[in-house]
Amino acid sequence: MKLTGERVTTPEGGFNPTWQRHVAAYQLIARFMGSEPLLDLGCGVGHSYQLLGRKRTIGLDFDLEALRGQQRPVVRADMRRIPLASASIGSVSSVQSLEHVPDPERTVDDVARVLTDNGVAVFVTPNRLTFGRPDEIIDPWHFVEFDPEQLRALCLASFDSVEMWGLFGSPTYLEFQQGELAKLNRLLRLDPLRLRRLIPRRGWQWAYSFALERSRGAGRPVPPLALRITPEDFSLGQDDLDSCLDVIAVCRSPRRVPGGRES
């Protein structure tokens, strides 16, 4: 697939830290998953769904190219309108996908609709307090970013039980991340008036993806630190969630929206 900033598609070179962070998220949330079938929401290329430990999984994504070649049932659909029957899914995983829709409450509502009464949904999304800049969405593929309390409040509108966790990085990963944030801050200082806000989203997406390819693509120098990172550089915790890398909401007891849609 063409490399863009929209999704993780390769572990090669400078993309390794992001790839390993996604792999770790799948590996670590497996303990929360409920019964089958499992819906892998916003699944992208489906690189780590086997780590969820469920034999019956369904991948859902809007990008047909990302779904090609996956060895499981896949559905091309908008995750705000899941084309599955109500109370038909035992588990839902959403790893780094909720931030990609402008109205994530619709996604959470529809996840609650398709879950069985005893079902479990797990949403993993970057912590806006530690990703990029806390006061501005830099990634043009993100419509919204959450801190722990914001994600909890969003999920409580559709679930009676929401348990909050965080994905934390090792000293090695945090050293790498600080280097990346320093590069970002140097770049943003070239635009003190934030004129970048006037660039149309598609133009900003192109520029962002171009910059990623120039800095991390094939043939580019790769910092040794980036190559050292593995899934073991990440762990789950519930203390000091404001400092976590990714916020995780484990949602149970779905609420049925009165008059909700039946697919």
Side-chain angles (χ1 to χ4, degrees):
M1 292 184 62
K2 181 180 178 181
L3 294 173
T4 72
E6 183 177 13
R7 62 181 75 252
V8 174
T9 59
T10 176
E12 298 301 320
F15 293 101
N16 180 63
T18 304
W19 177 276
Q20 302 299 345
R21 180 167 160 180
H22 279 67
V23 172
Y26 274 95
Q27 184 173 281
L28 291 168
I29 67 172
R31 69 190 69 181
F32 301 124
M33 292 293 107
S35 61
E36 300 175 6
L38 183 149
L39 177 63
D40 188 11
L41 201 62
C43 66
V45 298
H47 59 77
S48 296
Y49 70 87
Q50 299 94 337
L51 298 176
L52 293 171
R54 300 297 182 274
K55 294 181 179 179
R56 294 172 57 208
T57 74
I58 302 166
L60 185 149
D61 201 282
F62 193 70
D63 188 339
L64 183 60
E65 186 63 25
L67 295 172
R68 294 188 190 281
Q70 295 192 30
Q71 303 301 308
R72 60 171 172 176
V74 294
V75 178
R76 181 183 183 271
D78 186 325
M79 66 186 200
R80 295 169 294 179
R81 190 173 176 83
I82 302 169
L84 298 174
S86 297
S88 63
I89 296 295
S91 305
V92 174
S93 63
S94 170
V95 176
Q96 305 279 16
S97 61
L98 196 58
E99 64 275 12
H100 288 270
V101 293
D103 40 8
E105 66 279 357
R106 289 180 57 192
T107 296
V108 177
D109 277 346
D110 219 28
V111 166
R113 179 187 64 81
V114 301
L115 272 179
T116 61
D117 289 341
N118 295 322
V120 181
V122 181
F123 297 97
V124 182
T125 188
N127 180 5
R128 73 168 183 85
L129 301 178
T130 59
F131 181 84
R133 294 178 70 140
D135 60 341
E136 180 182 5
I137 295 178
I138 301 298
D139 189 329
W141 302 96
H142 291 184
F143 285 93
V144 62
E145 292 172 357
F146 303 92
D147 64 28
E149 280 305 311
Q150 289 168 334
L151 182 61
R152 181 175 181 272
L154 174 72
C155 294
L156 280 173
S158 301
F159 292 87
D160 286 330
S161 172
V162 177
E163 183 180 333
M164 300 303 297
W165 290 77
L167 181 80
F168 293 85
S170 69
T172 300
Y173 183 84
L174 295 180
E175 182 182 349
F176 168 80
Q177 183 195 42
Q178 288 306 309
E180 293 298 294
L181 290 177
K183 292 178 188 176
L184 174 64
N185 288 330
R186 286 196 297 270
L187 184 62
L188 294 181
R189 279 197 293 270
L190 300 175
D191 181 26
L193 299 179
R194 296 190 180 187
L195 297 179
R196 56 189 174 271
R197 294 176 297 176
L198 303 179
I199 302 175
R201 181 177 290 273
R202 289 201 175 188
W204 187 236
Q205 288 172 344
W206 179 87
Y208 188 85
S209 298
F210 178 78
L212 280 180
E213 175 63 27
R214 287 292 301 272
S215 64
R216 301 184 187 180
R220 307 295 177 185
V222 181
L225 199 60
L227 297 177
R228 286 169 49 195
I229 294 168
T230 72
E232 282 63 51
D233 281 295
F234 304 91
S235 61
L236 288 183
Q238 289 185 294
D239 295 331
D240 191 19
L241 291 182
D242 283 353
S243 69
C244 70
L245 300 169
D246 296 330
V247 188
I248 301 172
V250 181
C251 306
R252 299 181 176 89
S253 301
R255 293 201 192 108
R256 308 300 176 196
V257 178
R261 178 181 58 81
E262 177 71 36
S263 292

